């Protein structure tokens, strides 16, 4: 990217299980608070897992009318709300910008699962004539990007990347390259997910992917702890405004950081399990570092994929160790211990946490880390944040199908 146009982050927006805005969410992350609780959206009787990391009081701040909410799936709603925040944060006004030079790329792992589920029930119980004409355009994954573009008259590139839990990371990386290559000046990018539905919960339970620690939900997500038994399902959206550096400077915009590395890979091993030798994670990080083109020892903090699964955590730790060795300056943590796993939106909110960690010189904690499974002696930032100057961060996202992405950000 350094050989082309430089790409910076000028706006952030988030709705998460820890807050419906940027600073509330970040404050709860720094304080080590968990977003886990009993599921309120539906009756969980008969499910192996009865808890998740739901949004709280989202309807109070969505700004969407009842008619709009009926016509679009919650994952689209979350994307619109977080995008509104990020656009305001970046100071993008309709006048003064060429709308053909502003694009949108918002990813999702499973998109409108709740709408599909509900309409399947309607079809079975009431017949095809009762299906809403807004069902398909309200549920398909590209409608997150589409609605944000329509609302704001953004006429530049518009694409939605679907790569399971790597979706948002890929969206950010491709958006950065779109600007670097000169195809847009500004990209609204990130991810959104609303997978806490009966079918979503049942499906992940059937795959034995979720924690079943129903007695103590707030302790259930415990990356690298020996008691981990699966991930905590979360929901929400994270949106970043990426912009050409010269454009940002010309309008005296605040800059959260620069996108300086983007790496991708695939394990080519199994539909859900990571390769045991960690090659997929290793290659994604290596490729991001190659794109970065500077000494890997500059990386101060890695926001790990760290989902609290028995296999994934140690395999990622092995890959980090193989790349970075015994770098005593490197801190690692998993904020999924607090937010849960937002699937296709995870990479976006975790990229945001990387940027805020540089802004505030804080390494967020990995909570619930009491008995570490840490043979590589990584600094996993257990249970309490660490104050530390951070100039470079890495964000890892890995997904079903073996897909992997790593991003590197620089403070400027």
């Amino acid at each position: 990217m350094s050989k082309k146009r430089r790409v910076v982050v000028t706006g952030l927006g988030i709705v998460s299980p820890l807050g419906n805005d940027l600073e509330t969410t970040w404050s709860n992350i720094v304080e080590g608070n968990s977003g886990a609780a009993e599921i309120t959206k539906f009756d969980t009787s008969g499910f192996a897992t009865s808890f998740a990391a739901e949004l709280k009081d989202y309807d109070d701040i969505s700004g969407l009318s009842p008619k709009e909410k009926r016509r679009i799936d919650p994952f689209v709603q979350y994307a619109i709300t977080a995008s509104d925040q990020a656009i305001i944060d970046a100071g993008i006004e309709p006048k003064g910008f060429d709308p053909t030079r502003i694009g949108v790329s918002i990813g999702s792992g499973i998109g409108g699962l709740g709408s599909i589920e509900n309409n399947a029930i309607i079809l079975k119980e009431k017949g095809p004539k009762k299906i809403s004409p807004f069902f398909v355009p309200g549920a398909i994954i590209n409608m997150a990007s589409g609605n944000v573009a329509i609302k704001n008259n953004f006429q530049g590139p518009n694409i939605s990347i679907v790569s399971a839990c790597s979706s948002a990371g890929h969206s950010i990386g491709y958006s950065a390259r779109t600007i670097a290559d000169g195809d847009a000046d500004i990209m609204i990018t990130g991810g959104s997910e609303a997978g806490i539905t009966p079918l979503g919960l049942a499906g992940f339970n059937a795959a034995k992917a979720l924690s079943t620690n129903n007695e103590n939900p707030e302790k259930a997500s415990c990356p690298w702890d020996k008691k981990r038994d699966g991930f905590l399902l979360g929901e929400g959206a994270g949106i970043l405004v990426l912009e050409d550096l010269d454009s940002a400077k010309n309008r005296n915009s605040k800059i959260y950081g620069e996108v300086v590395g983007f790496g991708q890979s695939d394990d080519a091993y199994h539909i859900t399990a990571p390769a045991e030798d960690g090659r997929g994670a290793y290659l994604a990080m290596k490729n991001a570092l190659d794109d970065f083109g500077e000494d890997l020892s500059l990386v101060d903090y890695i926001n790990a994929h760290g989902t609290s699964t028995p296999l994934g955590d140690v395999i990622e730790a092995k890959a980090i160790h193989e790349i970075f060795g015994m770098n005593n300056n490197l801190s690692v943590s998993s904020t999924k211990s607090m937010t849960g796993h937002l699937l296709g939106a995870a990479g976006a909110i975790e990229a945001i946490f990387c940027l805020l960690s540089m802004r505030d010189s804080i390494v967020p904690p990995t909570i619930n880390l009491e008995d570490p499974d840490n043979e590589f002696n990584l600094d996993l930032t257990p249970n309490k944040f660490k104050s530390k100057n951070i100039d470079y961060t890495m964000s890892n996202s890995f997904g079903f199908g073996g897909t992997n992405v790593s991003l590197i950000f620089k403070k400027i």
Side-chain angles (χ1 to χ4, degrees):
M1 288 181 188
S2 61
K3 297 178 181 178
K4 301 182 181 182
R5 298 203 300 176
R6 293 174 65 184
V7 181
V8 296
V9 183
T10 57
L12 300 173
I14 191 169
V15 288
S16 82
L18 292 174
N20 294 318
D21 61 79
L22 188 70
E23 298 304 337
T24 301
T25 296
W26 180 237
S27 176
N28 278 307
I29 287 289
V30 173
E31 292 170 9
N33 295 326
S34 171
E38 290 296 315
I39 290 172
T40 63
K41 295 175 182 290
F42 54 88
D43 182 5
T44 59
S45 300
F47 288 82
T49 299
S50 62
F51 61 93
E54 297 177 322
L55 297 186
K56 283 82 173 173
D57 304 317
Y58 168 74
D59 287 339
D60 295 343
I61 61 96
S62 73
L64 299 170
S65 69
K67 181 185 288 187
E68 288 173 315
K69 290 178 183 177
R70 287 195 299 271
R71 290 182 173 183
I72 53 177
D73 189 84
F75 94 96
V76 180
Q77 298 176 33
Y78 302 161
I80 292 171
T81 301
S83 294
D84 286 348
Q85 294 175 13
I87 291 165
I88 291 170
D89 188 39
I92 298 174
E93 301 290 342
K95 295 180 180 179
F97 291 90
D98 179 353
T100 68
R101 300 294 299 169
I102 304 177
V104 186
S105 179
I106 301 172
S108 185
I110 52 179
L113 182 62
S115 294
I116 295 169
E117 185 176 347
N118 292 336
N119 278 273
I121 294 170
I122 291 170
L123 177 63
K124 182 176 181 179
E125 295 182 350
K126 299 181 179 181
K129 293 183 179 180
K130 293 299 183 180
I131 297 297
S132 167
F134 296 102
F135 160 49
V136 172
I140 55 178
I141 285 176
N142 75 303
M143 281 303 172
S145 293
N147 274 277
V148 170
I150 291 166
K151 180 177 182 179
N152 296 282
N153 192 34
F154 295 151
Q155 299 172 37
N158 191 292
I159 188 169
S160 295
I161 293 175
V162 181
S163 54
C165 302
S166 297
S167 298
H170 277 123
S171 296
I172 294 166
Y174 276 101
S175 293
R177 287 191 173 168
T178 297
I179 295 171
D181 288 342
D183 294 329
D185 297 326
I186 296 172
M187 290 292 293
I188 315 302
T189 185
S192 186
E193 204 76 87
I196 304 176
T197 75
L199 188 59
L201 188 69
F204 283 117
N205 270 153
K208 300 189 184 304
L210 297 179
S211 171
T212 57
N213 187 3
N214 296 311
E215 294 75 25
N216 202 347
E218 292 186 356
K219 294 285 188 180
S221 184
C222 50
W224 298 294
D225 193 278
K226 290 179 181 177
K227 67 178 178 294
R228 66 191 185 279
D229 69 333
F231 71 80
L232 165 68
L233 186 59
E235 63 179 355
I239 300 294
L240 297 78
V241 176
L242 305 189
E243 188 169 353
D244 169 49
L245 176 61
D246 290 338
S247 170
K249 284 182 174 180
N250 287 340
R251 62 190 191 90
N252 295 316
S253 176
K254 69 174 175 294
I255 296 175
Y256 288 99
E258 181 179 359
V259 186
V260 294
F262 173 38
Q264 310 166 76
S265 73
D266 197 276
D267 289 56
Y269 174 75
H270 188 271
I271 56 172
T272 59
E276 294 178 4
D277 60 4
R279 62 178 178 262
Y282 176 93
L283 280 172
M285 288 186 281
K286 180 182 182 298
N287 291 338
L289 288 163
D290 288 346
D291 190 36
F292 174 39
E294 302 289 343
D295 193 321
L296 59 81
S297 66
L298 292 172
V299 177
D300 302 297
Y301 167 56
I302 298 176
N303 189 298
H305 185 59
T307 58
S308 189
T309 56
L311 279 178
D313 291 4
V314 292
I315 289 173
E316 182 179 12
K318 178 180 180 179
I320 291 171
H321 176 74
E322 286 186 8
I323 290 232
F324 291 93
M326 297 301 294
N327 180 355
N328 294 326
N329 184 55
L330 181 66
S331 297
V332 180
S333 72
S334 172
T335 48
K336 287 185 180 74
S337 59
M338 295 167 278
T339 65
H341 191 355
L342 272 64
L343 309 176
I349 67 166
E350 290 157 14
I352 288 171
F353 298 152
C354 283
L355 293 158
L356 296 178
S357 73
M358 293 192 298
R359 183 194 71 177
D360 294 346
S361 299
I362 285 176
V363 178
T366 306
I367 69 168
N368 303 321
L369 185 51
E370 297 162 357
D371 187 10
D373 186 2
N374 185 17
E375 65 177 288
F376 303 108
N377 296 315
L378 298 176
D379 174 10
L380 300 175
T381 324
N383 303 311
K384 183 174 174 41
F385 76 85
K386 176 187 293 186
S387 295
K388 171 183 175 180
N389 183 63
I390 303 171
D391 293 319
Y392 294 88
T393 63
M394 174 181 281
S395 177
N396 287 340
S397 298
F398 313 139
F400 283 0
T403 181
N404 309 294
V405 59
S406 295
L407 298 165
I408 302 175
F409 299 96
K410 172 187 177 182
K411 178 163 54 176
I412 61 173

